[in-house]
Amino acid sequence: MPEKASPTSLKIPALSGTATVARVNNPIFIADLHLTGRKKKTLLAFWWFLRSRALQYDELFILGDFFEYWIGDDASKPAEPIARWLRAYAARGKRVYLMQGNRDFLLGEDFARHCGGTLLKPQVVIETPKTRILLSHGDEWCTLDTDYQAFRARMRDPEFQREGLAMSVAERIEYAKKARAASLENKTQKTAQMMDVVAEAFVADCRKYGVDQVIHGHTHRAAVHRADGCTRTVIPDWDMQGKGPRHRGWVELNSCGLPQIVLTDRWV
Ligand code: MN
C-alpha cells in the first residue's frame, strides 16, 4: 500500500533527540527486544513486563533495537499497540526514554512522544544519586568491523535520511529488505570478535564524558567488562519465541548506584 511521505513533515532522526536527562533515581535499562509482529511471544513478554517488573522503577530507558526494523515515524501504524502500552506505563508517572539502535535508527521524536516518552541522542550521560553513567546502543564501539562502521555512518547521515524519508513507505520497505539481505551475507564472513566492542573505543568515550560506567546493548552478550578503570555493562537481548533458548533481561542499579544485569527465562 504505497503511501507518499511528505519530506518536510518529518524531523530528520539523525538530527533529533535530547542529550539532557533530568536526574534519575530508580532506572531500568532494556535494549534489543527486536519487536516485530512476527514475534508474538516476545511482544507478549514486553506487554507483561510493563505491567509487572517495570512498575518497580521510575525511569525506563530503551537503548536501541527496540524494533526489528523501523522505516520512519510515518509508517508506525503496526507499532500502535506498543505505543499504547508505553503511554499507559508513562501515565503512572514513569519517565520513558527511547534511543535509536542500528535496526531502528529512523526512530524519531514523533513516535517517542506518541509513546509518552522522549527520544535520546545516540550517547547520553545520566546522573543518578550516586553515579554518572554513559548510555549508548553501543554499535559505534565495534570499530574492528570497518565495513559496518562505514554502513553506520551512511545510515546516520542526515542527507541520506532526508532522501530516504522522501521515498514512499513501500520503497523504503523494499530498500530495507535489500539492506538486510546484504548485511546477513556480510555477517557470515565476520568473527564474533570482529563484531564486539573494542575496549579502547569505549574507554575513549568514557574519558570524553568523564565517566567510568557505561551501559549499552547491541552485542546481545550480557556481561560486565572492565578496561582501564572503566566498566561497561551489556544489556541482555530478548527472545521469548522458544526456537533457541528463551531469554530476556534488563540492567538495574544496585544500592551503590552501580549497574547490574538481571537475566531470566521466565515470563514473570
Ligand atoms: Mn544493535
Side-chain angles (χ1 to χ4, degrees):
M1 179 180 44
E3 204 179 298
K4 197 68 196 165
S6 88
T8 48
S9 70
L10 278 182
K11 191 168 173 194
I12 302 305
L15 303 174
S16 305
T18 180
T20 313
V21 175
R23 176 184 277 241
V24 302
N25 287 308
N26 181 25
I28 181 167
F29 307 88
I30 58 173
D32 300 288
L33 278 70
H34 293 259
L35 296 181
T36 151
R38 290 194 310 277
K39 296 183 185 169
K40 295 276 189 286
K41 290 177 182 171
T42 305
L43 276 171
L44 183 63
F46 178 64
W47 175 83
W48 181 245
F49 167 81
L50 286 179
R51 274 154 190 78
S52 54
R53 183 74 191 208
L55 294 175
Q56 297 172 20
Y57 307 84
D58 298 319
E59 301 95 9
L60 171 65
F61 287 87
I62 304 172
L63 299 186
D65 289 0
F66 183 41
F67 295 105
E68 179 76 356
Y69 61 91
W70 193 262
I71 56 167
D73 287 4
D74 55 343
S76 66
K77 205 158 179 230
E80 192 50 44
I82 297 165
R84 202 166 55 236
W85 306 341
L86 280 169
R87 274 202 306 277
Y89 177 75
R92 290 170 166 248
K94 312 293 186 183
R95 278 150 61 190
V96 175
Y97 295 96
L98 292 119
M99 190 181 268
Q100 299 151 350
N102 54 300
R103 300 298 198 91
D104 48 14
F105 60 90
L106 284 179
L107 196 87
E109 282 174 1
D110 285 349
F111 185 74
R113 212 175 298 124
H114 189 54
C115 295
T118 305
L119 184 74
L120 297 176
K121 292 267 186 217
Q123 293 186 333
V124 170
V125 175
I126 57 161
E127 284 192 40
T128 77
K130 292 179 178 165
T131 38
R132 294 178 71 240
I133 305 171
L134 172 61
L135 308 180
S136 172
H137 183 58
D139 54 325
E140 71 272 42
W141 298 317
C142 301
T143 51
L144 288 180
D145 193 346
T146 48
D147 289 347
Y148 173 72
Q149 289 304 326
F151 175 77
R152 182 180 187 275
R154 184 163 149 78
M155 294 301 128
R156 291 192 179 252
D157 173 58
E159 264 322 298
F160 176 82
Q161 293 193 353
R162 204 184 306 277
E163 283 169 25
L165 290 170
M167 296 197 300
S168 73
V169 169
E171 284 169 330
R172 276 180 256 162
I173 291 172
E174 223 20 66
Y175 188 95
K177 274 185 190 157
K178 281 184 196 149
R180 181 82 197 115
S183 136
L184 277 175
E185 200 170 299
N186 270 322
K187 226 177 189 173
T188 56
Q189 301 156 14
K190 287 172 188 167
T191 62
Q193 189 208 356
M194 221 177 132
M195 293 191 290
D196 206 352
V197 164
V198 171
E200 289 78 12
F202 98 89
V203 168
D205 278 332
C206 284
R207 303 278 186 260
K208 177 173 145 193
Y209 292 102
V211 301
D212 59 9
Q213 289 289 337
V214 171
I215 297 175
H216 71 87
H218 183 63
T219 64
H220 296 201
R221 285 175 233 170
V224 178
H225 299 270
R226 290 190 180 84
D228 287 337
C230 299
T231 304
R232 65 180 177 95
T233 304
V234 185
I235 306 169
D237 64 307
W238 287 38
D239 189 352
M240 300 301 280
Q241 288 311 112
K243 281 177 197 142
R246 250 176 23 193
H247 59 274
R248 62 190 187 102
W250 50 87
V251 168
E252 59 185 22
L253 303 185
N254 66 17
S255 56
C256 301
L258 297 174
Q260 63 182 27
I261 298 167
V262 179
L263 264 172
T264 177
D265 62 355
R266 297 175 40 167
W267 289 92
V268 291

